[in-house]
Amino acid sequence: MPYDPVLVQPMREELTVLGVHELTTAEEVEQYLADTSGTTLIIVNSVCGCAAGMARPGVRMALAHEKLPDRIATVFAGQDVEATAKARSYFADMPPSSPSLALFKDGEVVTFLPRHRIEGREAMDVAGDLVKAFEEHC
Amino acid sequence: MGTFHDDLGPLHGITVVVDTKGPRVVVGRCHEITGKNVILHDVDVHEAGTDGVSKIEYLERAARIGTWVKHAHLSVSLDEVTSIQPLGDLAF
């Protein structure tokens, strides 16, 4: 059962306030990822406190870096179910994980940060992994 | 480790590797370690040698991309456990 949307809204806004594009339907995901040129970061957001609580601040820190993906979007696992399933279909070789982060380059996943590489770490460590990927691929 | 349920131990909510004395290795999200068992959610179980995959090979892949959930919940007796550590701590 999805969490109360009112409870979840601040967790969405932690990303959208940064300019991250929120995708709430499968159609939106399909349209957004139809452009496979360049680099795209997809953030699978979630309610989970011990992991998403570090993922969102980690993303915020990483987005202050000078080198960034061309496009950055998010889906919310457990809330926007169809959008999340559609997003995951673009990295179907990876076990479902939320939160998680997938960086695409020219339509291929070049970096994937699953939940277990986020939980229990500090936000700056998550940001460090993202910045390393941005430096390498963006 | 930043969970909302500190009374359930420091590994609560963390994806852990539970290694055993035998060929079995278990990966799942730790709920609680009691005096007798480790209780996990969203669990994958690997038997070394199945599909020609060793424990190390399985864990290398798990550390890189995660695991596919085969069991919603699983309890593993501490009598057969040799180690419990966060999957995210594994370095290859």
Side-chain angles (χ1 to χ4, degrees), chain A:
Chain A
M1 178 184 295
Y3 284 85
D4 184 339
V6 174
L7 172 74
V8 171
Q9 189 59 31
M11 302 173 193
R12 296 181 185 273
E13 291 173 358
E14 268 189 81
L15 295 177
T16 56
V17 74
L18 302 172
V20 175
H21 196 90
E22 188 170 46
L23 307 170
T24 59
T25 68
E27 291 74 21
E28 286 177 3
V29 172
E30 199 165 359
Q31 287 170 14
Y32 195 84
L33 290 177
D35 182 357
T36 58
S37 63
T39 50
T40 303
L41 179 67
I42 295 292
I43 304 157
V44 180
N45 199 356
S46 76
V47 169
C48 169
C50 50
M54 290 298 113
R56 291 185 295 267
V59 167
R60 176 170 48 78
M61 289 179 190
L63 294 191
H65 190 60
E66 58 183 6
K67 264 186 161 178
L68 294 175
D70 299 317
R71 292 172 294 277
I72 305 170
T74 181
V75 293
F76 209 119
Q79 299 293 309
D80 302 323
V81 176
E82 290 179 3
T84 303
K86 176 57 79 174
R88 283 178 172 150
S89 74
Y90 288 83
F91 40 95
D93 289 344
M94 312 297 178
S97 176
S98 58
S100 59
L101 303 131
L103 179 64
F104 294 79
K105 186 172 188 177
D106 298 331
E108 300 292 325
V109 176
V110 289
T111 298
F112 183 67
L113 273 185
R115 173 197 163 104
H116 72 265
R117 288 181 58 192
I118 299 169
E119 63 192 9
R121 300 176 75 204
E122 299 297 331
M124 66 173 60
D125 297 325
V126 176
D129 281 355
L130 279 175
V131 165
K132 187 178 170 189
F134 296 166
E135 278 290 331
E136 189 175 350
H137 301 290
C138 297

Side-chain angles (χ1 to χ4, degrees), chain B residues 20-36:
Chain B
T20 72
K21 296 169 184 168
R24 189 161 76 133
V25 62
V26 181
V27 175
R29 188 160 39 84
C30 184
H31 177 71
E32 186 178 14
I33 301 172
T34 69
K36 294 182 177 177

Side-chain angles (χ1 to χ4, degrees), chain B residues 14-92:
Chain B
I14 302 296
T15 306
V16 296
V17 177
V18 179
D19 202 357
T20 72
K21 296 169 184 168
R24 189 161 76 133
V25 62
V26 181
V27 175
R29 188 160 39 84
C30 184
H31 177 71
E32 186 178 14
I33 301 172
T34 69
K36 294 182 177 177
N37 303 292
V38 52
I39 300 162
L40 303 165
H41 300 307
D42 299 335
V43 185
D44 188 20
V45 178
H46 176 72
E47 295 280 341
T50 56
D51 300 331
V53 178
S54 69
K55 264 188 192 181
I56 292 295
E57 290 167 336
Y58 167 78
L59 290 174
E60 279 178 351
R61 180 176 168 82
R64 198 170 67 252
I65 64 169
T67 57
W68 295 92
V69 172
K70 290 180 184 147
H71 307 277
H73 315 286
L74 192 72
S75 174
V76 183
S77 169
L78 290 180
D79 288 342
E80 65 169 311
V81 171
T82 57
S83 67
I84 303 172
Q85 64 176 319
L87 177 60
D89 284 358
L90 294 190
F92 290 97

